[in-house]
Amino acid sequence: MVSLVLEAPVRPARTDPRRVAPVHHPIPLPHPPESMIGTPYYDDEFEMAQSIAHMQTIYSLGSLLNRVAKAADLRVVSDNPVWYWLPEQGMQRALYPDYALTANPRVDRLTADELALALEVVSTTRFEKEAKDTVLMRERNAAHGVREFVLIYPEPDDPRSVVWHGYDERTGQYQVVPLPADRRYRSAAVPGLELEVLPPEEWTPGCKVRVWFRGQEVRDGEAEARRREAAELQAERER
């Protein structure tokens, strides 16, 4: 999709604890039809398509989170335009989060102020693209007060898995949430949502996490159907 063109090097993460100056609030204008022209999950700026692991993560994790969104009465945007205010350009512009949840049903004119949670599946094959997915998008979402910002590292040979950021209203910055002892990140923005980081020996391409909602594991519908069919065939044989 059409993406942000960086005009300056990506800045390092802020260490100053003082609150970031608030940005202008983007106006919820209808997104023009041309904002949806392009290849999904393709970065025009770097001329990069998504990797296989990126695609598999978006498909598998996205399908599970879609079920959570439906149960929680939230709306999903995934590589769809969202208005952000860009202070260095003095204007608002549509950016394309990999995945985000909102309570606003008008996703055709959605602004970043209205996002509850934003998630980026990190591309790691080029430093500049990784910096954009991580540092720059973290700063963009923090400036708009998005309560949680989640990074997923999809490649199975990458020792990183999930980096969970929680928004600190006192400072206007994100704080990295340490991995809990039970390996489950619990969302404050979407009550009942948990992402469990699997042990590295269980990682497969596109799958490093397990999704829970309101105490129940959210399973892939196709995989669940296959398990039921196998169980029924086994029961039939044992009769």
Side-chain angles (χ1 to χ4, degrees):
M1 290 296 181
V2 177
S3 59
L4 172 66
V5 175
L6 301 180
E7 297 182 352
V10 175
R11 294 171 292 168
R14 285 178 53 90
T15 57
D16 187 341
R18 292 173 297 180
R19 183 175 177 83
V20 177
V23 298
H24 291 75
H25 293 285
I27 301 170
L29 301 173
H31 292 291
E34 58 268 23
S35 68
M36 289 303 297
I37 296 175
T39 304
Y41 308 105
Y42 180 85
D43 193 300
D44 292 322
E45 177 188 352
F46 297 110
E47 298 183 342
M48 284 181 60
Q50 61 180 335
S51 70
I52 296 298
H54 187 288
M55 177 192 69
Q56 291 171 326
T57 299
I58 287 290
Y59 175 80
S60 61
L61 180 58
S63 66
L64 299 179
L65 291 176
N66 288 349
R67 296 174 64 185
V68 171
K70 183 176 181 179
D73 195 25
L74 297 173
R75 305 299 185 272
V76 172
V77 288
S78 184
D79 201 38
N80 301 113
V82 177
W83 290 118
Y84 285 75
W85 180 263
L86 306 186
E88 73 278 9
Q89 296 184 17
M91 62 183 293
Q92 69 182 52
R93 184 168 178 178
L95 303 183
Y96 297 77
D98 278 345
Y99 192 94
L101 296 173
T102 179
N104 183 1
R106 297 300 306 271
V107 295
D108 61 321
R109 58 187 67 202
L110 189 64
T111 70
D113 296 341
E114 299 167 310
L115 300 181
L117 178 150
L119 182 149
E120 291 291 329
V121 180
V122 182
S123 297
T124 57
T125 53
R126 286 182 59 181
F127 171 78
E128 305 95 319
K129 180 65 169 78
E130 181 174 349
K132 178 181 176 181
D133 288 347
T134 57
V135 177
L136 186 57
M137 288 307 295
R138 181 190 66 212
E139 292 187 355
R140 296 294 190 212
N141 284 290
H144 289 81
V146 180
R147 290 187 66 188
E148 289 171 325
F149 178 60
V150 180
L151 299 173
I152 304 288
Y153 290 85
E155 305 299 333
D157 58 351
D158 188 331
R160 298 168 294 182
S161 54
V162 176
V163 180
W164 191 287
H165 302 81
Y167 183 70
D168 186 337
E169 293 185 354
R170 296 176 299 105
T171 63
Q173 300 178 44
Y174 283 123
Q175 302 296 326
V176 175
V177 179
L179 179 64
D182 63 357
R183 306 182 68 84
R184 290 193 191 184
Y185 289 104
R186 292 167 175 82
S187 175
V190 184
L193 171 62
E194 302 176 28
L195 286 191
E196 178 187 0
V197 180
L198 298 173
E201 60 271 17
E202 296 183 21
W203 292 351
T204 57
C207 184
K208 291 186 176 181
V209 301
R210 186 176 288 129
V211 178
W212 297 79
F213 187 61
R214 297 173 181 167
Q216 300 292 321
E217 182 182 353
V218 182
R219 296 177 180 269
D220 176 80
E222 293 182 6
E224 192 67 17
R226 289 194 297 269
R227 279 192 288 267
R228 286 197 301 268
E229 183 179 353
E232 291 170 359
L233 288 173
Q234 183 64 29
E236 184 69 26
R237 293 191 194 99
E238 294 174 353
R239 288 177 185 172

